Amino acid sequence: MSRHTLSVLVENKPGVLARVSGLFSRRGFNIESLAVGPTENPEVSRMTIVVAVEELPLEQVTKQLNKLVNVIKILEHERGSAVERELMLAKIRAQGDVRARIMEICEVFRVNIVDVTATTLTVEASGKPEKLEALRELLNEYGIVELSRTGRIALARGDRGIRERVLKSASA
């Protein structure tokens, strides 16, 4: 199975997220990451969906997604053809000498410290999923109290926006 990142423009209406995610669920596909938010147009939302599935079943799902009334456009991002980012907040145990080491790691990873208590540091990191995973592994040895990550968001590289691009399987 290969991992695919889809950007889906949808009408900003109640129930759209449930209908879109339901299509994947009914086919038995696990959505690895899902991020939904507004676009430059308040009437349109953008979903970024990461799913591990083979090419042919993905093509079938995208054709079904295109049939949904509230779906405006679907784009599959080819590997390396998109800028992809995630956000992570992590609360780490940080007392004594450990605090300085955690702060050094934060500096190397260009991470912001957003909350400080006597016993913890809360950090905010954004970047490629691989960067956040490497940071999580390093911080894990100090004791992660809590961690939260957003789903992946993505924009295609280049001058054109999603409305000018074509999903490769939609043209077949």
Side-chain angles (χ1 to χ4, degrees), residues 64 120 171:
Q64 289 177 336
T120 64
S171 60

mmCIF file of all heavy atoms in Angstrom, residues 64 120 171:
data_model
loop_
_atom_site.group_PDB
_atom_site.id
_atom_site.type_symbol
_atom_site.label_atom_id
_atom_site.label_comp_id
_atom_site.label_asym_id
_atom_site.label_seq_id
_atom_site.Cartn_x
_atom_site.Cartn_y
_atom_site.Cartn_z
ATOM 1 N N GLN A 64 -16.117 8.520 -6.693
ATOM 2 C CA GLN A 64 -17.302 8.617 -5.850
ATOM 3 C C GLN A 64 -17.350 9.955 -5.126
ATOM 4 O O GLN A 64 -18.413 10.547 -4.973
ATOM 5 C CB GLN A 64 -17.349 7.470 -4.846
ATOM 6 C CG GLN A 64 -17.654 6.140 -5.496
ATOM 7 C CD GLN A 64 -17.627 4.991 -4.498
ATOM 8 O OE1 GLN A 64 -16.978 5.075 -3.457
ATOM 9 N NE2 GLN A 64 -18.318 3.917 -4.819
ATOM 10 N N THR A 120 7.619 21.839 33.740
ATOM 11 C CA THR A 120 7.409 21.470 32.336
ATOM 12 C C THR A 120 7.713 22.626 31.396
ATOM 13 O O THR A 120 7.702 23.794 31.777
ATOM 14 C CB THR A 120 5.947 21.029 32.071
ATOM 15 O OG1 THR A 120 5.070 22.136 32.304
ATOM 16 C CG2 THR A 120 5.544 19.839 32.905
ATOM 17 N N SER A 171 -8.988 12.191 -15.037
ATOM 18 C CA SER A 171 -8.951 12.367 -16.478
ATOM 19 C C SER A 171 -8.977 11.027 -17.211
ATOM 20 O O SER A 171 -9.107 10.981 -18.424
ATOM 21 C CB SER A 171 -7.702 13.155 -16.874
ATOM 22 O OG SER A 171 -6.547 12.455 -16.475
#
